[in-house]
Amino acid sequence: MKELRIRVLAAVFVVAGVLSWAGARLWNSVGTLPSVPLAAPIVLALIAVVLLATALSLRARLRAQRERQPDAKGVDPMMAARAVVFGQASALVAALVSGMYGGTGVFLLESLDIPARRDQAIYAGFSVLAGIGVIAAAIFLERVCKLPDDDEHEGTGAAPTV
């Protein structure tokens, strides 16, 4: 399984941000700008919490298994692989959504004197922060599930992550 690349996530974020900024400018010139939902940062923050809780749980179970504690509950390799895939998919979607709200937020910075636009800019900013939290939690989860011998296989594309 290939490792998440920060460059790819950053590129997705920047491209989505630029397209969203341009789309917001165009949409605003035609009529009204769609609003940034209050639920956006909340949902992203919940996803980040789930990823972080999964990573911490797996890390504790792997540590107990490695130290051969008597009541250590093992980690199913398929469950760990699914968790990593969920984290990677969440990170990619979070980069896209954060870029989209980031571009909209940058556009909204031009009109902070309007209370409704100021609120939308704040929601967009919190969405970007929550999206960064999702990405950080996903990378942490991936690092927790990385096999110790993965360093030998780096660059070959055959590095198993479990």
Side-chain angles (χ1 to χ4, degrees), residues 120-150:
Q120 295 299 302
I122 291 170
Y123 299 157
F126 282 137
S127 296
V128 171
L129 290 176
I132 291 170
V134 170
I135 292 168
I139 290 172
F140 178 62
L141 174 63
E142 186 178 63
R143 299 302 185 259
V144 164
C145 293
K146 189 173 182 179
L147 290 174
D149 64 341
D150 280 353

Side-chain angles (χ1 to χ4, degrees), residues 21-31 107:
W21 174 79
R25 285 181 55 101
L26 179 65
W27 199 306
N28 192 50
S29 68
V30 173
F107 172 76

Side-chain angles (χ1 to χ4, degrees), residues 3-130:
E3 198 172 291
L4 274 177
R5 303 274 184 215
I6 301 295
R7 287 180 294 192
V8 171
L9 296 173
V12 168
F13 177 83
V14 169
V15 169
V18 169
L19 290 175
S20 178
W21 174 79
R25 285 181 55 101
L26 179 65
W27 199 306
N28 192 50
S29 68
V30 173
T32 61
L33 185 66
S35 65
V36 178
L38 176 60
I42 295 169
V43 170
L44 287 170
L46 286 174
I47 293 170
V49 167
V50 167
L51 287 171
L52 184 62
T54 302
L56 292 174
S57 171
L58 285 174
R59 184 175 72 168
R61 289 171 62 185
L62 287 169
R63 182 179 297 143
Q65 189 176 11
R66 197 172 30 248
E67 294 171 356
R68 301 194 190 280
Q69 292 178 359
D71 294 334
K73 186 175 179 184
V75 176
D76 180 31
M78 284 304 292
M79 187 204 52
R82 287 182 188 121
V84 170
V85 169
F86 172 63
Q88 289 180 344
S90 297
L92 286 168
V93 170
L96 179 68
V97 170
S98 296
M100 183 184 74
Y101 287 131
T104 303
V106 168
F107 172 76
L108 290 170
L109 289 177
E110 299 171 0
S111 54
L112 288 178
D113 52 333
I114 303 169
R117 295 270 173 121
R118 182 176 47 244
D119 291 344
Q120 295 299 302
I122 291 170
Y123 299 157
F126 282 137
S127 296
V128 171
L129 290 176

